[in-house]
Amino acid sequence: KHGDDLRQDQVVLQFVLLMDLLLKRVNLDMRLTCYGALATGASSGVVQFVEDSRAVSDILADNQGSILNYLRAHNPDTAAPDGVSAVAIDSFTKSCAGYCVITYLLGVGDRHLDNIMVRKNGQLFHIDFGFILGRDPKPYPPPFKLTREMVEGMGGLESDQFMRFRRYCFQAYNWLRKSAKLFLNLLSLMVR
């Protein structure tokens, strides 16, 4: 990648990996996609390609505005509710909860549907971390990105899966909060 400073991306992705490991240590697998980034200079670097993934904006454009249609096309199960395999819905729900918590804790800004991706297996993940620690190019940004289409991908506001999403968010936040001193110490190492 040329023209972008990937140093922040590299740091955020290391935090995602660390948070994933801490959550897995307490048997809370949020199905996070931990890909790599390496800054080779102030305006260049290398980012790992994540196969079978598309931006949410593209998914909505090609699937009648529905993430559920995309998941159904790649994970069909006629016996399951909404015709989508339970494993794909569970992956989508857990990863959505995990990234909502992580982007909230790290103050990741500039969240839009072009830098939120979904893999064919249902895992949601974020890319492009140029704005972190509360910085955002837009005034009054939301603390994290959760759209109506994402909620509908879980079955809607009244679904059991959305209740699980909320529970996963609470659990992940509470477990990660216990490691706040670790995160603050690691962030303090970046201060010049």
Side-chain angles (χ1 to χ4, degrees):
K1 197 167 182 183
H2 184 70
D4 279 338
D5 185 352
L6 292 180
R7 292 176 292 185
Q8 285 186 176
D9 291 65
Q10 189 173 341
V11 168
V12 170
L13 291 169
Q14 286 298 309
F15 270 94
V16 171
L17 178 61
L18 175 61
M19 290 178 184
D20 186 43
L21 294 171
L22 290 170
L23 291 171
K24 284 179 178 173
R25 207 181 261 179
V26 293
N27 293 322
L28 194 56
D29 183 359
M30 301 303 285
R31 305 286 291 137
L32 302 176
T33 300
C34 298
Y35 62 96
L38 177 64
T40 57
S43 63
S44 61
V46 181
V47 179
Q48 180 181 351
F49 179 75
V50 180
E51 290 186 49
D52 296 328
S53 63
R54 296 187 65 201
V56 171
S57 59
D58 294 337
I59 290 170
L60 295 176
D62 295 342
N63 292 277
Q64 296 88 35
S66 172
I67 293 172
L68 201 55
N69 287 344
Y70 174 79
L71 295 175
R72 187 179 301 114
H74 297 288
N75 306 277
D77 184 351
T78 54
D82 296 320
V84 182
S85 108
V87 172
I89 292 291
D90 188 58
S91 289
F92 180 75
T93 302
K94 285 181 175 177
S95 59
C96 193
Y99 279 99
C100 281
V101 170
I102 289 171
T103 56
Y104 171 73
L105 291 175
L106 295 176
V108 177
D110 195 29
R111 297 296 86 197
H112 50 77
L113 300 182
D114 289 324
N115 59 23
I116 302 174
M117 311 287 284
V118 178
R119 297 173 77 178
K120 286 182 180 177
N121 67 1
Q123 288 176 278
L124 177 140
F125 66 100
H126 287 245
I127 61 171
D128 189 9
F129 301 102
F131 294 91
I132 60 172
L133 303 177
R135 290 182 52 238
D136 198 297
K138 299 178 289 291
Y140 309 111
F144 58 88
K145 188 74 166 183
L146 180 66
T147 66
R148 176 181 49 82
E149 293 85 2
M150 291 175 192
V151 173
E152 288 172 357
M154 294 177 226
L157 285 173
E158 304 301 321
S159 70
D160 290 340
Q161 207 59 32
F162 185 70
M163 295 306 138
R164 285 189 192 99
F165 164 81
R166 292 179 54 185
R167 191 168 47 247
Y168 293 139
C169 286
F170 298 146
Q171 290 173 332
Y173 178 81
N174 285 324
W175 280 111
L176 292 174
R177 187 172 70 173
K178 292 178 182 193
S179 300
K181 286 184 182 179
L182 170 64
F183 302 136
L184 290 172
N185 284 334
L186 290 172
L187 283 171
S188 71
L189 294 174
M190 297 187 324
V191 176
R192 293 185 206 202

